[in-house]
Amino acid sequence: SIQEECGAVIIEKGEFYNQDPTGIRTGNGPGPKLSETLELVANDAEAVLSKDNVTRKIAITLNMLQEKLDNIRGAVTMAYPMGLPTWDTIRLTIEGIEGISGTPAGQQVLDENTSELWIASRCLDRNQVISDRFGKNEKTKVIGKLQRPGAGAPGREPVVSEEEKKAMMAFYFKKQEELKQLAENSEDDYLNSSWADSKQLQKSLRGSGNIRAPGIR
């Protein structure tokens, strides 16, 4: 391996060295196979947090989240068997939330003991359950949002979802094309009229205006 001295620190460049533009890490990566494993477990964890699970009627439990976190922890251990430094962001994030403090992701972390649940522009009391406010009809769909205490009501959900908006745009475009085609056909319909035939007068004088070819009515 090649050693590079940077000030008082000696960086050992391994086989999969890739300079870290942030300067936080040495740049020695785990290799393509382990990198693929890290990306796989990360994508798997993101899939559990996807809002598409609501449409699929999949309830997310704490055990499911813990399983995905354990998978990430195992993949990191495989990639860095020597362990990560105590100050490393990944290690701090796995062990707690200190690793994302001060970042946009850290702003989304809410305290379970003080967070507020808002539904239909109203804040639910922490002693209430959703059925106390909306009943026990299983077919009722409500959208709730968590807020920091004192942050007020969150923004309203759009009346039309992105999927519905795309379907509406496709429908209106198809309708517009049909009306355009219908208008073009209407403009050409007069060409088939008898009064549009330049030889109609001549046919009338000869008495051949109503003669048609055999088989044509």
Short mmCIF file of all heavy atoms in Angstrom, two decimals, residues 86-141:
data_model
loop_
_atom_site.label_atom_id
_atom_site.label_comp_id
_atom_site.label_asym_id
_atom_site.label_seq_id
_atom_site.Cartn_x
_atom_site.Cartn_y
_atom_site.Cartn_z
N THR A 86 -14.91 6.55 17.23
CA THR A 86 -16.01 6.96 18.11
C THR A 86 -16.71 8.22 17.63
O THR A 86 -17.87 8.45 17.97
CB THR A 86 -15.47 7.19 19.53
OG1 THR A 86 -14.40 8.17 19.47
CG2 THR A 86 -14.94 5.89 20.13
N TRP A 87 -16.05 9.02 16.81
CA TRP A 87 -16.63 10.26 16.33
C TRP A 87 -17.31 10.10 14.98
O TRP A 87 -17.90 11.05 14.45
CB TRP A 87 -15.55 11.34 16.21
CG TRP A 87 -14.29 10.87 15.53
CD1 TRP A 87 -13.15 10.45 16.13
CD2 TRP A 87 -14.07 10.75 14.13
NE1 TRP A 87 -12.20 10.08 15.20
CE2 TRP A 87 -12.75 10.25 13.96
CE3 TRP A 87 -14.81 10.99 12.99
CZ2 TRP A 87 -12.17 10.00 12.72
CZ3 TRP A 87 -14.26 10.74 11.74
CH2 TRP A 87 -12.95 10.25 11.62
N ASP A 88 -17.23 8.91 14.37
CA ASP A 88 -17.77 8.72 13.03
C ASP A 88 -19.29 8.87 13.03
O ASP A 88 -19.99 8.36 13.91
CB ASP A 88 -17.39 7.33 12.49
CG ASP A 88 -17.74 7.18 11.02
OD1 ASP A 88 -18.88 6.78 10.72
OD2 ASP A 88 -16.87 7.46 10.17
N THR A 89 -19.81 9.56 11.99
CA THR A 89 -21.24 9.85 11.90
C THR A 89 -22.07 8.57 11.84
O THR A 89 -23.13 8.47 12.47
CB THR A 89 -21.53 10.71 10.67
OG1 THR A 89 -20.74 11.90 10.73
CG2 THR A 89 -23.00 11.10 10.62
N ILE A 90 -21.61 7.58 11.07
CA ILE A 90 -22.36 6.33 10.93
C ILE A 90 -22.46 5.62 12.27
O ILE A 90 -23.54 5.16 12.67
CB ILE A 90 -21.68 5.41 9.90
CG1 ILE A 90 -21.62 6.08 8.53
CG2 ILE A 90 -22.43 4.09 9.80
CD1 ILE A 90 -22.97 6.42 7.95
N ARG A 91 -21.36 5.56 13.00
CA ARG A 91 -21.38 4.89 14.30
C ARG A 91 -22.31 5.62 15.28
O ARG A 91 -23.09 4.99 15.99
CB ARG A 91 -19.97 4.80 14.86
CG ARG A 91 -19.91 4.18 16.25
CD ARG A 91 -18.50 3.95 16.70
NE ARG A 91 -18.44 3.43 18.07
CZ ARG A 91 -17.31 3.08 18.68
NH1 ARG A 91 -16.16 3.18 18.05
NH2 ARG A 91 -17.35 2.62 19.93
N LEU A 92 -22.21 6.94 15.30
CA LEU A 92 -23.05 7.72 16.20
C LEU A 92 -24.53 7.57 15.86
O LEU A 92 -25.39 7.51 16.74
CB LEU A 92 -22.65 9.19 16.15
CG LEU A 92 -21.27 9.54 16.72
CD1 LEU A 92 -20.94 11.00 16.44
CD2 LEU A 92 -21.21 9.26 18.20
N THR A 93 -24.83 7.49 14.55
CA THR A 93 -26.22 7.35 14.12
C THR A 93 -26.79 5.99 14.50
O THR A 93 -27.94 5.88 14.93
CB THR A 93 -26.33 7.56 12.60
OG1 THR A 93 -25.77 8.83 12.26
CG2 THR A 93 -27.78 7.52 12.15
N ILE A 94 -25.99 4.94 14.34
CA ILE A 94 -26.45 3.59 14.68
C ILE A 94 -26.67 3.46 16.19
O ILE A 94 -27.64 2.85 16.65
CB ILE A 94 -25.44 2.53 14.19
CG1 ILE A 94 -25.43 2.50 12.66
CG2 ILE A 94 -25.78 1.15 14.74
CD1 ILE A 94 -24.40 1.55 12.09
N GLU A 95 -25.79 4.07 16.95
CA GLU A 95 -25.87 3.93 18.40
C GLU A 95 -26.86 4.91 19.03
O GLU A 95 -27.28 4.72 20.17
CB GLU A 95 -24.48 4.15 19.01
CG GLU A 95 -23.49 3.06 18.60
CD GLU A 95 -22.11 3.31 19.19
OE1 GLU A 95 -21.92 4.38 19.79
OE2 GLU A 95 -21.23 2.43 19.03
N GLY A 96 -27.25 5.95 18.29
CA GLY A 96 -28.20 6.93 18.82
C GLY A 96 -28.52 7.94 17.75
O GLY A 96 -28.41 7.67 16.56
N ILE A 97 -28.93 9.13 18.15
CA ILE A 97 -29.28 10.17 17.18
C ILE A 97 -28.24 11.29 17.15
O ILE A 97 -28.41 12.28 16.45
CB ILE A 97 -30.66 10.77 17.51
CG1 ILE A 97 -30.64 11.47 18.87
CG2 ILE A 97 -31.75 9.72 17.46
CD1 ILE A 97 -31.91 12.24 19.16
N GLU A 98 -27.14 11.11 17.90
CA GLU A 98 -26.15 12.18 17.97
C GLU A 98 -25.49 12.41 16.60
O GLU A 98 -25.07 13.52 16.28
CB GLU A 98 -25.07 11.86 19.01
CG GLU A 98 -25.56 11.85 20.45
CD GLU A 98 -26.24 10.55 20.82
OE1 GLU A 98 -26.30 9.66 19.96
OE2 GLU A 98 -26.71 10.42 21.97
N GLY A 99 -25.43 11.35 15.80
CA GLY A 99 -24.74 11.47 14.51
C GLY A 99 -25.44 12.36 13.51
O GLY A 99 -24.80 12.85 12.58
N ILE A 100 -26.73 12.58 13.68
CA ILE A 100 -27.46 13.41 12.72
C ILE A 100 -27.89 14.74 13.33
O ILE A 100 -28.64 15.48 12.71
CB ILE A 100 -28.70 12.66 12.19
CG1 ILE A 100 -29.61 12.24 13.35
CG2 ILE A 100 -28.30 11.45 11.37
CD1 ILE A 100 -30.89 11.59 12.88
N SER A 101 -27.44 15.02 14.52
CA SER A 101 -27.79 16.30 15.14
C SER A 101 -27.16 17.44 14.34
O SER A 101 -26.02 17.38 13.91
CB SER A 101 -27.28 16.36 16.59
OG SER A 101 -25.88 16.19 16.64
N GLY A 102 -27.96 18.49 14.11
CA GLY A 102 -27.49 19.63 13.34
C GLY A 102 -27.62 19.46 11.85
O GLY A 102 -27.23 20.34 11.09
N THR A 103 -28.18 18.34 11.39
CA THR A 103 -28.38 18.08 9.96
C THR A 103 -29.88 18.15 9.65
O THR A 103 -30.72 18.10 10.54
CB THR A 103 -27.83 16.70 9.57
OG1 THR A 103 -28.62 15.68 10.22
CG2 THR A 103 -26.38 16.57 9.99
N PRO A 104 -30.25 18.26 8.34
CA PRO A 104 -31.68 18.25 7.98
C PRO A 104 -32.40 16.99 8.48
O PRO A 104 -33.56 17.06 8.89
CB PRO A 104 -31.65 18.31 6.45
CG PRO A 104 -30.37 19.01 6.13
CD PRO A 104 -29.40 18.56 7.18
N ALA A 105 -31.70 15.85 8.46
CA ALA A 105 -32.32 14.61 8.95
C ALA A 105 -32.57 14.71 10.45
O ALA A 105 -33.58 14.20 10.96
CB ALA A 105 -31.41 13.42 8.64
N GLY A 106 -31.67 15.37 11.17
CA GLY A 106 -31.85 15.52 12.60
C GLY A 106 -33.05 16.38 12.96
O GLY A 106 -33.66 16.19 14.02
N GLN A 107 -33.42 17.30 12.05
CA GLN A 107 -34.58 18.15 12.30
C GLN A 107 -35.89 17.36 12.25
O GLN A 107 -36.91 17.80 12.76
CB GLN A 107 -34.63 19.29 11.28
CG GLN A 107 -33.44 20.24 11.35
CD GLN A 107 -33.37 20.97 12.68
OE1 GLN A 107 -34.39 21.36 13.24
NE2 GLN A 107 -32.16 21.19 13.18
N GLN A 108 -35.84 16.19 11.61
CA GLN A 108 -37.05 15.37 11.48
C GLN A 108 -37.23 14.41 12.66
O GLN A 108 -38.26 13.75 12.75
CB GLN A 108 -36.99 14.58 10.18
CG GLN A 108 -36.90 15.45 8.93
CD GLN A 108 -36.83 14.64 7.66
OE1 GLN A 108 -37.10 13.44 7.66
NE2 GLN A 108 -36.44 15.28 6.56
N VAL A 109 -36.25 14.32 13.52
CA VAL A 109 -36.35 13.43 14.67
C VAL A 109 -37.15 14.13 15.76
O VAL A 109 -36.80 15.23 16.20
CB VAL A 109 -34.95 13.05 15.18
CG1 VAL A 109 -35.08 12.15 16.42
CG2 VAL A 109 -34.17 12.32 14.10
N LEU A 110 -38.21 13.50 16.21
CA LEU A 110 -39.09 14.09 17.22
C LEU A 110 -39.01 13.29 18.51
O LEU A 110 -38.79 12.07 18.50
CB LEU A 110 -40.54 14.10 16.71
CG LEU A 110 -40.78 14.84 15.38
CD1 LEU A 110 -42.23 14.70 14.97
CD2 LEU A 110 -40.38 16.31 15.48
N ASP A 111 -39.21 13.97 19.61
CA ASP A 111 -39.21 13.33 20.92
C ASP A 111 -40.55 12.63 21.13
O ASP A 111 -41.61 13.26 21.06
CB ASP A 111 -38.98 14.37 22.01
CG ASP A 111 -38.78 13.74 23.39
OD1 ASP A 111 -39.01 12.52 23.52
OD2 ASP A 111 -38.42 14.47 24.33
N GLU A 112 -40.51 11.34 21.37
CA GLU A 112 -41.75 10.58 21.52
C GLU A 112 -42.56 11.01 22.74
O GLU A 112 -43.77 10.77 22.82
CB GLU A 112 -41.44 9.09 21.62
CG GLU A 112 -40.54 8.73 22.80
CD GLU A 112 -40.26 7.25 22.86
OE1 GLU A 112 -41.17 6.45 22.56
OE2 GLU A 112 -39.11 6.88 23.19
N ASN A 113 -41.93 11.64 23.69
CA ASN A 113 -42.63 12.03 24.92
C ASN A 113 -43.30 13.41 24.81
O ASN A 113 -44.17 13.74 25.64
CB ASN A 113 -41.65 12.05 26.10
CG ASN A 113 -41.10 10.66 26.39
OD1 ASN A 113 -41.84 9.67 26.37
ND2 ASN A 113 -39.80 10.57 26.64
N THR A 114 -42.90 14.20 23.83
CA THR A 114 -43.45 15.57 23.73
C THR A 114 -44.10 15.87 22.38
O THR A 114 -44.74 16.92 22.24
CB THR A 114 -42.35 16.60 23.99
OG1 THR A 114 -41.30 16.43 23.01
CG2 THR A 114 -41.77 16.45 25.38
N SER A 115 -43.95 14.99 21.42
CA SER A 115 -44.50 15.26 20.08
C SER A 115 -46.02 15.33 20.11
O SER A 115 -46.67 14.72 20.95
CB SER A 115 -44.06 14.16 19.09
OG SER A 115 -42.65 14.12 18.99
N GLU A 116 -46.57 16.10 19.17
CA GLU A 116 -48.01 16.28 19.05
C GLU A 116 -48.51 15.63 17.76
O GLU A 116 -47.87 15.73 16.71
CB GLU A 116 -48.37 17.77 19.05
CG GLU A 116 -47.99 18.50 20.32
CD GLU A 116 -48.26 19.98 20.24
OE1 GLU A 116 -48.50 20.48 19.12
OE2 GLU A 116 -48.23 20.65 21.29
N LEU A 117 -49.67 14.98 17.85
CA LEU A 117 -50.30 14.36 16.69
C LEU A 117 -51.45 15.25 16.22
O LEU A 117 -52.38 15.52 16.97
CB LEU A 117 -50.81 12.96 17.02
CG LEU A 117 -51.57 12.23 15.91
CD1 LEU A 117 -50.66 12.03 14.69
CD2 LEU A 117 -52.10 10.89 16.39
N TRP A 118 -51.36 15.69 14.95
CA TRP A 118 -52.37 16.58 14.37
C TRP A 118 -53.14 15.84 13.29
O TRP A 118 -52.55 15.20 12.41
CB TRP A 118 -51.72 17.82 13.77
CG TRP A 118 -51.25 18.81 14.79
CD1 TRP A 118 -50.12 18.72 15.56
CD2 TRP A 118 -51.89 20.03 15.16
NE1 TRP A 118 -50.02 19.80 16.38
CE2 TRP A 118 -51.08 20.63 16.15
CE3 TRP A 118 -53.04 20.67 14.74
CZ2 TRP A 118 -51.41 21.85 16.73
CZ3 TRP A 118 -53.37 21.89 15.32
CH2 TRP A 118 -52.57 22.46 16.30
N ILE A 119 -54.47 15.90 13.37
CA ILE A 119 -55.35 15.31 12.36
C ILE A 119 -56.47 16.30 12.09
O ILE A 119 -57.11 16.80 13.03
CB ILE A 119 -55.93 13.96 12.81
CG1 ILE A 119 -54.80 12.95 13.08
CG2 ILE A 119 -56.89 13.41 11.76
CD1 ILE A 119 -55.30 11.61 13.58
N ALA A 120 -56.70 16.59 10.81
CA ALA A 120 -57.77 17.52 10.42
C ALA A 120 -57.61 18.87 11.12
O ALA A 120 -58.59 19.44 11.63
CB ALA A 120 -59.14 16.92 10.69
N SER A 121 -56.39 19.36 11.17
CA SER A 121 -56.08 20.67 11.77
C SER A 121 -56.38 20.74 13.26
O SER A 121 -56.56 21.83 13.81
CB SER A 121 -56.84 21.80 11.05
OG SER A 121 -56.46 21.86 9.70
N ARG A 122 -56.45 19.59 13.91
CA ARG A 122 -56.69 19.57 15.35
C ARG A 122 -55.64 18.69 16.02
O ARG A 122 -55.27 17.65 15.50
CB ARG A 122 -58.10 19.05 15.66
CG ARG A 122 -59.20 19.98 15.19
CD ARG A 122 -60.55 19.53 15.69
NE ARG A 122 -61.62 20.44 15.30
CZ ARG A 122 -62.88 20.31 15.65
NH1 ARG A 122 -63.26 19.28 16.41
NH2 ARG A 122 -63.78 21.18 15.25
N CYS A 123 -55.20 19.15 17.18
CA CYS A 123 -54.20 18.41 17.94
C CYS A 123 -54.90 17.45 18.90
O CYS A 123 -55.78 17.86 19.67
CB CYS A 123 -53.30 19.37 18.70
SG CYS A 123 -52.01 18.55 19.68
N LEU A 124 -54.50 16.18 18.83
CA LEU A 124 -55.09 15.19 19.72
C LEU A 124 -54.42 15.23 21.08
O LEU A 124 -53.20 15.39 21.18
CB LEU A 124 -54.94 13.79 19.13
CG LEU A 124 -56.11 13.30 18.25
CD1 LEU A 124 -56.16 14.10 16.95
CD2 LEU A 124 -55.96 11.82 17.94
N ASP A 125 -55.22 15.10 22.11
CA ASP A 125 -54.68 15.03 23.46
C ASP A 125 -53.89 13.73 23.61
O ASP A 125 -54.27 12.69 23.05
CB ASP A 125 -55.81 15.08 24.48
CG ASP A 125 -55.29 15.22 25.91
OD1 ASP A 125 -55.01 14.17 26.51
OD2 ASP A 125 -55.18 16.36 26.39
N ARG A 126 -52.81 13.77 24.34
CA ARG A 126 -51.95 12.59 24.48
C ARG A 126 -52.66 11.45 25.19
O ARG A 126 -52.25 10.29 25.09
CB ARG A 126 -50.66 12.95 25.21
CG ARG A 126 -49.78 13.94 24.47
CD ARG A 126 -48.42 14.05 25.14
NE ARG A 126 -47.67 12.82 25.04
CZ ARG A 126 -46.87 12.50 24.01
NH1 ARG A 126 -46.75 13.32 22.99
NH2 ARG A 126 -46.21 11.35 24.01
N ASN A 127 -53.72 11.74 25.90
CA ASN A 127 -54.48 10.69 26.58
C ASN A 127 -55.56 10.08 25.69
O ASN A 127 -56.23 9.13 26.08
CB ASN A 127 -55.14 11.25 27.85
CG ASN A 127 -54.11 11.71 28.88
OD1 ASN A 127 -53.06 11.09 29.02
ND2 ASN A 127 -54.40 12.81 29.56
N GLN A 128 -55.73 10.64 24.49
CA GLN A 128 -56.73 10.15 23.56
C GLN A 128 -56.13 9.15 22.58
O GLN A 128 -54.92 9.15 22.33
CB GLN A 128 -57.35 11.31 22.77
CG GLN A 128 -58.32 12.18 23.53
CD GLN A 128 -58.92 13.22 22.62
OE1 GLN A 128 -58.22 13.89 21.86
NE2 GLN A 128 -60.23 13.39 22.70
N VAL A 129 -57.01 8.33 22.02
CA VAL A 129 -56.65 7.50 20.88
C VAL A 129 -57.45 8.00 19.69
O VAL A 129 -58.42 8.75 19.85
CB VAL A 129 -56.93 6.00 21.15
CG1 VAL A 129 -56.02 5.46 22.22
CG2 VAL A 129 -58.39 5.78 21.52
N ILE A 130 -57.07 7.60 18.49
CA ILE A 130 -57.71 8.14 17.29
C ILE A 130 -59.20 7.80 17.26
O ILE A 130 -60.02 8.60 16.81
CB ILE A 130 -56.99 7.59 16.04
CG1 ILE A 130 -55.55 8.12 16.00
CG2 ILE A 130 -57.72 8.01 14.77
CD1 ILE A 130 -54.74 7.63 14.83
N SER A 131 -59.57 6.62 17.76
CA SER A 131 -60.98 6.22 17.74
C SER A 131 -61.84 7.12 18.62
O SER A 131 -63.04 7.24 18.38
CB SER A 131 -61.11 4.77 18.17
OG SER A 131 -60.64 4.58 19.49
N ASP A 132 -61.25 7.78 19.60
CA ASP A 132 -62.02 8.69 20.44
C ASP A 132 -62.52 9.88 19.64
O ASP A 132 -63.58 10.45 19.93
CB ASP A 132 -61.17 9.19 21.61
CG ASP A 132 -60.82 8.07 22.59
OD1 ASP A 132 -61.54 7.06 22.59
OD2 ASP A 132 -59.83 8.22 23.34
N ARG A 133 -61.77 10.26 18.61
CA ARG A 133 -62.13 11.43 17.83
C ARG A 133 -62.86 11.07 16.53
O ARG A 133 -63.74 11.80 16.09
CB ARG A 133 -60.86 12.22 17.50
CG ARG A 133 -61.07 13.55 16.80
CD ARG A 133 -61.71 14.59 17.71
NE ARG A 133 -60.83 14.94 18.80
CZ ARG A 133 -59.91 15.91 18.73
NH1 ARG A 133 -59.76 16.59 17.61
NH2 ARG A 133 -59.17 16.19 19.79
N PHE A 134 -62.51 9.92 15.93
CA PHE A 134 -63.04 9.60 14.61
C PHE A 134 -63.85 8.30 14.57
O PHE A 134 -64.26 7.86 13.50
CB PHE A 134 -61.89 9.50 13.59
CG PHE A 134 -61.13 10.77 13.44
CD1 PHE A 134 -59.95 10.97 14.14
CD2 PHE A 134 -61.60 11.78 12.63
CE1 PHE A 134 -59.24 12.15 14.00
CE2 PHE A 134 -60.90 12.96 12.48
CZ PHE A 134 -59.72 13.15 13.18
N GLY A 135 -64.04 7.66 15.70
CA GLY A 135 -64.83 6.44 15.70
C GLY A 135 -64.00 5.21 15.36
O GLY A 135 -62.79 5.30 15.14
N LYS A 136 -64.68 4.06 15.29
CA LYS A 136 -63.98 2.79 15.06
C LYS A 136 -64.31 2.16 13.72
O LYS A 136 -64.19 0.96 13.55
CB LYS A 136 -64.33 1.82 16.19
CG LYS A 136 -63.88 2.29 17.57
CD LYS A 136 -64.18 1.27 18.64
CE LYS A 136 -63.69 1.74 20.01
NZ LYS A 136 -63.96 0.75 21.07
N ASN A 137 -64.71 2.98 12.76
CA ASN A 137 -64.97 2.48 11.41
C ASN A 137 -63.64 2.19 10.72
O ASN A 137 -62.84 3.09 10.47
CB ASN A 137 -65.77 3.51 10.60
CG ASN A 137 -66.19 2.97 9.25
OD1 ASN A 137 -65.78 1.88 8.83
ND2 ASN A 137 -67.04 3.71 8.56
N GLU A 138 -63.38 0.92 10.40
CA GLU A 138 -62.09 0.54 9.83
C GLU A 138 -61.89 1.08 8.42
O GLU A 138 -60.76 1.10 7.93
CB GLU A 138 -61.97 -0.99 9.82
CG GLU A 138 -61.93 -1.61 11.21
CD GLU A 138 -61.76 -3.11 11.15
OE1 GLU A 138 -61.76 -3.65 10.03
OE2 GLU A 138 -61.64 -3.74 12.22
N LYS A 139 -62.97 1.50 7.76
CA LYS A 139 -62.85 2.00 6.40
C LYS A 139 -62.56 3.50 6.36
O LYS A 139 -62.38 4.07 5.30
CB LYS A 139 -64.13 1.70 5.62
CG LYS A 139 -64.39 0.21 5.42
CD LYS A 139 -65.62 -0.02 4.56
CE LYS A 139 -65.84 -1.51 4.33
NZ LYS A 139 -67.04 -1.77 3.50
N THR A 140 -62.54 4.12 7.52
CA THR A 140 -62.24 5.55 7.58
C THR A 140 -60.74 5.77 7.43
O THR A 140 -59.94 5.14 8.11
CB THR A 140 -62.71 6.16 8.91
OG1 THR A 140 -64.12 5.96 9.04
CG2 THR A 140 -62.41 7.64 8.96
N LYS A 141 -60.38 6.66 6.53
CA LYS A 141 -58.97 6.97 6.30
C LYS A 141 -58.67 8.38 6.79
O LYS A 141 -59.35 9.34 6.39
CB LYS A 141 -58.63 6.87 4.81
CG LYS A 141 -57.18 7.24 4.50
CD LYS A 141 -56.91 7.17 3.01
CE LYS A 141 -55.48 7.62 2.71
NZ LYS A 141 -55.18 7.58 1.25
#
